[in-house]
Amino acid sequence: MLPYSIKEGLSGLKRARFSSVASTSAMSIALVLIGMFAIVSFQASSVSDWLKQRVGELELFIEDIDPASTQALHARAEITPGVAEATYVSKQEAEEIFRTEFGDEAELFFDSAFLPASIKVKISPDYANADSLEVLAAEFASWIRVDDVIYNQSLLRYVQDTLSLITI
């Protein structure tokens, strides 16, 4: 049965060459386009997650406290749901970052009291949207010994709106 089907199929291809080539070409092009669309969609999703996570960063400025309390605050931030990574930035590291970013003009604006220790929090992609960040920022702000919580809410909303438009 199978050899007969193959034989008849090949003879049909020989009888109607143009339509066989046209339909095979159309199917091949359609499959290639579907594959390309799948690859582009996957890459766009990856870039979208990376971008939202990159924009969705919080910084918790903490009071000048003892190292044990600072370590406890850092550990608490790391285990908070929605947090991908938390990094402690000491006053000395903050000063180095400030001097690197401002270069030669750093001395004009430098004030050691202005640079507190902080915890930089990277949010997991699932939580990297404006609503979730507002909730997390409010939670972090309610913690004892956290002076301020900052994040770029307007940029995150802009990125979200742009990604939604691209998705549509």
Side-chain angles (χ1 to χ4, degrees):
M1 181 77 174
L2 184 61
Y4 174 76
S5 297
I6 292 173
K7 183 178 164 186
E8 285 299 311
L10 291 175
S11 67
L13 287 175
K14 288 179 185 175
R15 277 181 284 185
R17 283 194 175 141
F18 178 74
S19 58
S20 297
V21 170
S23 64
T24 305
S25 299
M27 294 276 279
S28 298
I29 290 171
L31 289 174
V32 167
L33 288 175
I34 289 172
M36 287 176 53
F37 178 73
I39 290 170
V40 168
S41 294
F42 177 74
Q43 289 296 327
S45 175
S46 298
V47 168
S48 169
D49 288 346
W50 176 82
L51 189 58
K52 284 196 290 188
Q53 188 176 18
R54 187 85 176 144
V55 173
E57 289 183 356
L58 298 163
E59 191 159 8
L60 317 175
F61 291 105
I62 55 179
E63 295 175 359
D64 201 11
I65 52 177
D66 60 287
S69 297
T70 303
Q71 189 64 19
L73 209 59
H74 178 245
R76 185 176 175 192
E78 281 185 319
I79 62 169
T80 303
V83 173
E85 179 185 337
T87 308
Y88 174 71
V89 179
S90 68
K91 286 181 127 184
Q92 292 78 20
E93 291 170 330
E95 182 179 333
E96 289 173 21
I97 292 169
F98 179 81
R99 290 184 189 280
T100 302
E101 288 182 2
F102 281 91
D104 295 335
E105 283 79 34
E107 292 303 320
L108 296 173
F109 302 105
F110 182 72
D111 181 11
S112 62
F114 177 70
L115 299 171
S118 65
I119 299 172
K120 289 189 177 192
V121 177
K122 289 185 181 180
I123 304 302
S124 62
D126 297 339
Y127 282 78
N129 60 55
D131 300 333
S132 297
L133 273 180
E134 284 179 30
V135 171
L136 277 172
E139 180 183 341
F140 289 140
S142 69
W143 290 2
I144 297 172
R145 296 193 171 101
V146 172
D147 279 337
D148 195 15
V149 178
I150 62 164
Y151 67 102
N152 199 340
Q153 184 179 16
S154 59
L155 180 59
L156 181 64
R157 286 201 186 277
Y158 177 74
V159 166
Q160 263 187 308
D161 293 343
T162 304
L163 289 175
S164 297
L165 183 63
I166 290 171
T167 302
I168 289 171

